[in-house]
Amino acid sequence: MKDFSIFLFGVITYLLLIESQSCAADSVNPCCYYPCQNSGVCVRFGADGYRCDCTRTGYYGDNCTTPELWSRVRAMLRPRPAAIHYFLTHFQWFWDFINSCFLRDTFMTLVLTVRSELIPSPPTYNTKYGYLSWESYINISYYTRLLPPVPEDCPLPMGTKGKSVLPEPNVLAERFFKRKKFRPDPQGTNLMFSFMAQHFTHQFFKTNHDVQAGFTKALGHGVDASNIYGDDLVRQHQLRLHEDGKMKYQVVDGEMYPPTVSDVPVHMVYPKGFPPERQLAIGQEFFGIVPGLTMYATLWLREHNRVCDILKAEHPTWDDEQLFQTTRLIIIGEIINIIIEDYVQHLSGYLFKLKFDPSLLFGERFQYSNRIALEFCQLYHWHPLMPDSFLIDGDQIPYSQFMYNTSVLLHYGVEKLVDAFSRQPAGQIGGGQNSHEAVLKVAEMVIRESRATRVQPFNEYRKKFNLEPYASFQELTDDADMANALEELYGDIDALEFYPGIMLEKAHSSSIFGESMVEMGAPFSLKGLLGNPICSPHYWKPSTFGGETGFNIVKTSTLKKLVCLNTKWCPFVDFHIPRKEEESQRKESSSEL
């Protein structure tokens, strides 16, 4: 009997042990369900408990879903983003009136404050820390994060919904990103815009692929013109002439171009064995890849040296260092002005005329700092803009003869490149199936990076930016075959990844991309631009830029001025293809239908 009791005790103990292990295995981190709504923060307690921190969200309750009075009022009065977009892109007579009176400043202030408030400052999360930490704040080697990573102990890759295995990136790229037939942007975007997008963003999008994902090689987290001057002092001093504040250059056929690596031995990324005398020495080491980037590098080089001459004439006692540093501030100001009033203006499609005037925010609550977010870097991979080939001065140039070919710039000259790129349509970004095979690997890279950094599902970002989450793949895209294929691969719309979601979403009517890209990209962009130190009250004044002359260069800068003040003759220059060619393109598309 005693032996039987010992045996029975052993069996019961074994069964209890098995049961406890089974319960532990079945325990799921409750934060994997993303229970906290309206920007509430999920904090895990015990094995399967959690609490939502609803502090200053305007909501309360277990999951931050019950609105406070003012939140309820705002929700009732706030129009849907689609309605706002429609209003901003229609009613020309109304916007003509607004743009011509004092109400323009009021509207612009509203645009800036509403958009920028969506981006936390100081930064919050990064790839390593899904909770607030000093390391996330102080270590600028990380990209920041708008949402924390998917918890590592979730049962499925995207949390608790979808398939146990995500589709292969090359399968996604081939089925949903690869171009079937070039689809021009209905908004009339051209290659001049495409190359500006790449040139502008590569001063702060510099992902470090040599270490764990989520790190950046950029020392600055905003517009610092490091793509012109280099991102460290060693490179900067190698590129500088050290005379009158100017940058080094070479003269070809009487015109100024960047020097070659044989004369200025900075590191540039070219194919192995590429002769140093054919490599152009530029601030951004990657910019030798296509002539569109070396074209912009040449324009900014010329503009820098042109401004130096103006400052030298006004300040003959200034030394090389003061001339250089003041000119750099002017160039940064010009970049921001052109990006807001020309680039973002075109991109938005708004009839409301955007305005670069930092003083509009001086009476508002605003922090003059910025950190580049991983999500912003990922959503900005707009490679569908690239065409099937490049038409320059009557010559059709394929990718094989375009990439890493510095002779294109020197052979045609800046004027002909600007004219050609301003006339050639770029591709539509939204809707999918419009990326040239030559750039398809980029989409795969972004998807892999997104998984390595455990970026939350697309619908979680929709909610973060006050957008309704999609209920189905059919709602996401107006392509039935694409919707069915996505459902087959992902299993659930709430498991759709961030980058595929934002790129495959159906575009606004006659627009370059969809609702999510507009609503997510604009806050990151405007916060980064206006958060620049030169936009702060202590900087935004004439003395910062060497006096009224330099200040006016900043305030009156345009894309056309950048080109035409630095070329022998003024070509057609715009971010929009010529209107007559756009009309012809529309008629051609209609006849094909």
Side-chain angles (χ1 to χ4, degrees), residues 392-424:
I392 304 173
D393 199 29
D395 300 327
Q396 202 79 37
I397 303 176
Y399 279 84
S400 59
Q401 298 173 26
F402 193 73
M403 298 181 71
Y404 295 111
N405 188 352
T406 54
S407 66
V408 170
L409 172 66
L410 300 175
H411 172 73
Y412 292 101
V414 171
E415 293 88 348
K416 287 185 178 180
L417 287 189
V418 169
D419 192 81
F421 295 152
S422 296
R423 296 179 185 279
Q424 185 169 355

Side-chain angles (χ1 to χ4, degrees), residues 117-132:
E117 283 177 358
L118 291 168
I119 307 302
S121 184
T124 50
Y125 312 106
N126 62 24
T127 301
K128 184 174 181 179
Y129 298 99
Y131 49 88
L132 295 191

Side-chain angles (χ1 to χ4, degrees), residues 118-168:
L118 291 168
I119 307 302
S121 184
T124 50
Y125 312 106
N126 62 24
T127 301
K128 184 174 181 179
Y129 298 99
Y131 49 88
L132 295 191
S133 68
W134 186 252
E135 183 70 9
S136 292
Y137 167 72
I138 202 70
N139 191 344
I140 63 171
S141 297
Y142 283 102
Y143 286 118
T144 188
R145 301 280 288 264
L146 192 63
L147 291 180
V150 175
E152 290 182 326
D153 55 353
C154 291
L156 296 173
M158 301 308 290
T160 58
K161 294 184 179 180
K163 300 290 183 74
S164 59
V165 178
L166 292 171
E168 288 295 324

Side-chain angles (χ1 to χ4, degrees), residues 181 184 582-593:
K181 180 183 178 182
E582 180 185 27
E583 186 61 33
S584 174
Q585 179 182 298
R586 283 176 180 166
K587 289 180 180 178
E588 184 179 330
S589 299
S590 299
S591 63
E592 288 178 0
L593 293 173

Side-chain angles (χ1 to χ4, degrees), residues 211-223:
V211 293
Q212 179 188 354
F215 285 86
T216 175
K217 293 187 288 186
L219 298 181
H221 278 256
V223 181

Side-chain angles (χ1 to χ4, degrees), residues 458 462 467 470 501-502 505 508 514-521:
F458 177 55
R462 292 270 302 174
L467 299 169
Y470 284 117
I502 207 164
E505 180 183 41
H508 277 301
E515 175 184 61
S516 298
M517 188 74 81
V518 174
E519 298 302 318
M520 297 180 194

